[in-house]
Amino acid sequence: MSQTSLNKTANPTSPWQIYLVVVGVGVTCGTLILAVHEATRQRITDNRAAYRDQAAITVLPGAIRVTSFRWDDTGQGLSGHWVADGDRQSAETILAGYDPAGALVGVAIEAAGRGYQDTIRLIYGYSPTQQVILGFRILESRETPGLGDRVETDSAFVDQFRGLPVQAIDRGNEEPRVELGGADQQRAWQVDGISGATVTSRAVARTIAESVARWFPRIEADLSTLREAHL
Amino acid sequence: MHTTDAAASEPGVFANGIWKQNPVLVQVLGMCPVLAVSNTTINALAMGLATASVLILSSATVSLLRHWIPPQARIVTFIMVIATFVTCVDYLVQSISIELHRALGAFLSLIVVNCLVLGRAEAFASQQSVRRSLADAAGMGCGFLFALLCLGTVRELVGSGQVFGYPLLGDRYQGWAIMLLPPGGFFSLAGWLMFFRWWTLRRHSASGSTFQLSGPTDG
Amino acid sequence: MLKRTLQLRTSPHLHSGTSVEAIMFHVALATLPACAFAVYHFGLAALLVLSVSVITCVLTEHVVCHCRRQPTTVADGAAIVTGLLYGMTLPPSLPLWMVVLGAIVAVGVGKMLFGGLGANPFNPALVGRAFLQTAFPLAMTTWSSTASDRFTSVSRSTFTWPLMRPDYDPSSTDGISGATALGLWKSEGTLLPLPDLFWGTVPGCVGETSAALLLLGGLYLIARGMMSWRIPLAILTTVAVGSLLVDQFESERRFDPLTMWFSGGLMLGAMFMATDMVGSPLTGWGCVLYGVGIGALVLIIRGWGGMPEGVMYAILLGNAVSPLIDRYIHPRLFETRQRSAAR
């Protein structure tokens, strides 16, 4: 090594000196990280919320502000209720969008499913009043550029999801089940795919279908809370 | 270890990092982020800036501490210093833009294992004055940024006809998806390495000097 | 070039009499029936694709040799064969500028960059195709219809300006796009009639549709002793046995062995691509192992992969492991029963 520093042979360092330096540097570094974390925490939280709200507004046409809701599963089955201002980071939170008059436009829900390359994360809008999908937007995907990423850019594919009806199937005592698409479409993901990107387009349709099936009962169970939040 | 000529002045040390010892195009160091995050110009710019700032901060700190760090504990101390600055830069990027942070993905945190950063701390900053270490880190950082931008520009331009998201080649351009995918990183890296090698060779054969090209080092 | 250097070799010193030129001539001859059928079936577009690819391959080889200040190796005919085989793997409506680009990659990167004929680890034609498949996935999976005016006009996409996005005829993309035999099988679960698949009157790449003529060409080469019969046999047997096995357990997947054989690029791949002497193993058992591996990969990619067709990647992977196969299965020492010693 060098001549000026780290003189190893002349003056052997004691273990205590090593401990002292390592602990000293460690404590200083820890303090520095803590300081930066504290300084940026508020902005990071705001950025994340703004990022998600922005995405929610793009899939809820007409909405100008969003409120996040968390499902409080205190009761048995579907007897829980929605609590405003859920943690915006959590996957168990939905975002309700409201128009200037304070009426509910729809809810934006994040969902993730397995695509061709990796998990596709998307957000979609659902209107509980009309029981239709309002549209979707991809948040994160690693699909093939020029092929799989056309699920975002292919207007024919994207348009199929605007106003896609969600049908509740009454199965007696069971929880209400849902399916995407009209009655003539037999399978939940029978949306017309994109040629050459079948896997990706099916993944998008299936992800949305599964997510709707999961959230639909809870939205139905306590729609009034969502609806009246800003009236 | 190829530390530079000890006599070189600070500007010389700085220029050395950008050109003669360019970390990517000559030393072929830190290939993982170079190949992975150079698919668009903006990603390349962000990654290059993040790496350069970690490099400058950690080199300066290591150089400051060089008289107190015992040789047995130097690697662990260097890594601690580097990891600290990487974490700070990670927070800063998040506070600037979540979208950018998402695009850089895991590679932002992985700056900590970029052999370029530890390499400069070990080979240069731990033996040189703060001023010279700063000059070296700034040079290496700029060299890294320059190389990333070279790759990122070519990949985005050929891959989607854009530079910094601006459609330079018109909207009828057919992008080559392969350039945005991992193989494109290898293709463009190979192309740039070939170009710079050819250029250096040509310049030196023209001036008549016998110039020994430094081969790639492991890292 | 080879003839001019003094060759120092161990025995045997006898030469079979075949040369690179002769082999290339006969391989080209063997592909001609399938190429002729392609021109009949797809019309002018197929002729354009094939001729552009052959010309570009030859020119690329010549230019690279010139840049390296070496005598040109175009005369051995390998570039012509690469060009023919590469052209046969492309969709007929592919824009010609993409054909040119892929041909430059095939010969320039796939062959010359590694040192020319004999030094390339991968089949150059497939390197070119793999590049195009990854660079332009959409254009490489768009199939044109076989219109009645195919001998007088070509698809709008053929003469796309260089580097510009191709424009497909709206009428032809509708019912035809993605409707190759394997595409239909994978997305709809329908099987095309076997005679159509066998004779080749189905959509697909330029030279891959006619299984019958490809088989004929392959048999011709085998009869002439210019091709290892073990490789196609191993590939086809593996695919057939594998399909039957899958059919036993999951019959709803409809793994029909004959459909598997005659659809997609399997015949072209098994007969002309996998048997490339440079990329395949040296020994008989090595070839069998190589063929079985390729066949299994084809089935796996077709059945469970994201793409409908997997012959190209299966053969490229086979090329990649064939040096490894040669390391473990050594050639027998001449006139003995002993295998040469391990390195």
Side-chain angles (χ1 to χ4, degrees), chain B residues 194-217:
Chain B
M194 203 158 75
F195 174 74
F196 281 104
R197 193 59 52 114
W198 169 78
W199 205 44
T200 328
L201 271 176
R202 207 186 59 144
R203 220 173 40 153
H204 283 274
S205 65
S207 65
S209 68
T210 50
F211 175 69
Q212 192 61 53
L213 281 170
S214 46
T217 52

Side-chain angles (χ1 to χ4, degrees), chain B residues 24-42:
Chain B
V24 176
L25 300 169
V26 176
Q27 301 189 53
V28 200
L29 287 174
M31 282 302 103
C32 191
V34 167
L35 293 169
V37 210
S38 62
N39 53 352
T40 63
T41 337
I42 191 78

Side-chain angles (χ1 to χ4, degrees), chain C:
Chain C
M1 193 187 154
L2 277 171
K3 284 178 180 163
R4 260 179 269 137
T5 51
L6 175 67
Q7 293 179 20
L8 289 176
R9 282 194 182 168
T10 56
S11 60
H13 299 290
L14 291 173
H15 196 268
S16 69
T18 51
S19 59
V20 173
E21 289 86 348
I23 292 178
M24 291 305 165
F25 173 76
H26 286 288
V27 174
L29 200 65
T31 60
L32 273 188
C35 290
F37 175 80
V39 175
Y40 159 74
H41 182 51
F42 294 109
L44 208 52
L47 186 66
L48 279 171
V49 167
L50 285 172
S51 38
V52 166
S53 64
V54 170
I55 292 168
T56 318
C57 282
V58 171
L59 278 181
T60 310
E61 181 155 336
H62 186 73
V63 168
V64 174
C65 284
H66 181 78
C67 288
R68 297 174 63 181
R69 299 189 181 82
Q70 286 176 345
T72 184
T73 50
V74 168
D76 66 13
I80 299 174
V81 168
T82 300
L84 273 175
L85 290 178
Y86 159 76
M88 289 169 85
T89 62
L90 302 176
S93 56
L94 194 72
L96 291 179
W97 72 264
M98 293 185 188
V99 178
V100 171
L101 181 72
I104 293 173
V105 172
V107 173
V109 178
K111 185 167 125 188
M112 300 313 281
L113 222 59
F114 288 99
L117 184 67
N120 48 307
F122 297 101
N123 184 326
L126 288 182
V127 170
R129 186 185 203 275
F131 179 87
L132 288 187
Q133 173 81 60
T134 321
F136 313 112
L138 190 56
M140 288 295 283
T141 48
T142 307
W143 316 96
S144 68
S145 55
T146 51
S148 52
D149 60 347
R150 61 185 183 273
F151 296 112
T152 50
S153 72
V154 290
S155 159
R156 252 201 289 177
S157 56
T158 301
F159 290 112
T160 313
W161 282 102
L163 302 182
M164 294 296 134
R165 201 178 309 122
D167 218 5
Y168 290 98
D169 307 327
S171 57
S172 69
T173 50
D174 204 16
I176 308 298
S177 86
T180 58
L182 283 170
L184 278 175
W185 168 74
K186 189 146 194 171
S187 58
E188 318 282 327
T190 49
L191 300 179
L192 289 181
L194 268 181
D196 285 355
L197 287 176
F198 184 67
W199 297 114
T201 50
V202 288
C205 293
V206 167
E208 70 171 21
T209 56
S210 177
L213 294 174
L214 289 166
L215 208 55
L216 186 75
L219 290 176
Y220 170 76
L221 285 182
I222 291 170
R224 284 219 151 244
M226 287 176 173
M227 186 170 102
S228 157
W229 54 271
R230 292 181 179 87
I231 295 172
L233 191 70
I235 295 178
L236 295 179
T237 316
T238 311
V239 168
V241 172
S243 314
L244 285 174
L245 272 177
V246 178
D247 211 39
Q248 282 295 312
F249 295 107
E250 294 185 55
S251 56
E252 75 279 1
R253 281 180 163 273
R254 308 195 70 176
F255 269 74
D256 176 46
L258 287 179
T259 306
M260 282 290 158
W261 271 13
F262 298 144
S263 54
L266 185 65
M267 264 317 152
L268 178 61
M271 292 295 167
F272 292 102
M273 302 288 187
T275 51
D276 179 8
M277 289 179 183
V278 183
S280 53
L282 299 168
T283 56
W285 281 111
C287 284
V288 171
L289 191 61
Y290 167 82
V292 169
I294 291 176
L297 275 172
V298 167
L299 271 190
I300 291 169
I301 299 177
R302 281 184 180 180
W304 292 272
M307 294 164 294
E309 176 59 307
V311 172
M312 171 179 71
Y313 289 118
I315 295 176
L316 286 173
L317 283 167
N319 287 160
V321 296
S322 91
L324 197 68
I325 296 176
D326 278 338
R327 261 202 83 135
Y328 288 100
I329 302 180
H330 294 272
R332 209 159 37 85
L333 293 179
F334 191 66
E335 289 288 298
T336 66
R337 298 192 158 276
Q338 192 188 342
R339 294 202 175 272
S340 60
R343 260 201 289 165

Side-chain angles (χ1 to χ4, degrees), chain B residues 62-75:
Chain B
V62 165
S63 177
L64 263 178
L65 297 175
R66 71 186 187 278
H67 295 298
W68 289 282
I69 301 171
Q72 297 92 326
R74 64 181 201 283
I75 298 290

Side-chain angles (χ1 to χ4, degrees), chain B residues 69-82 118 121-122:
Chain B
I69 301 171
Q72 297 92 326
R74 64 181 201 283
I75 298 290
V76 67
T77 326
F78 296 166
I79 287 290
M80 261 197 298
V81 170
I82 296 166
L118 183 63
E122 166 81 11

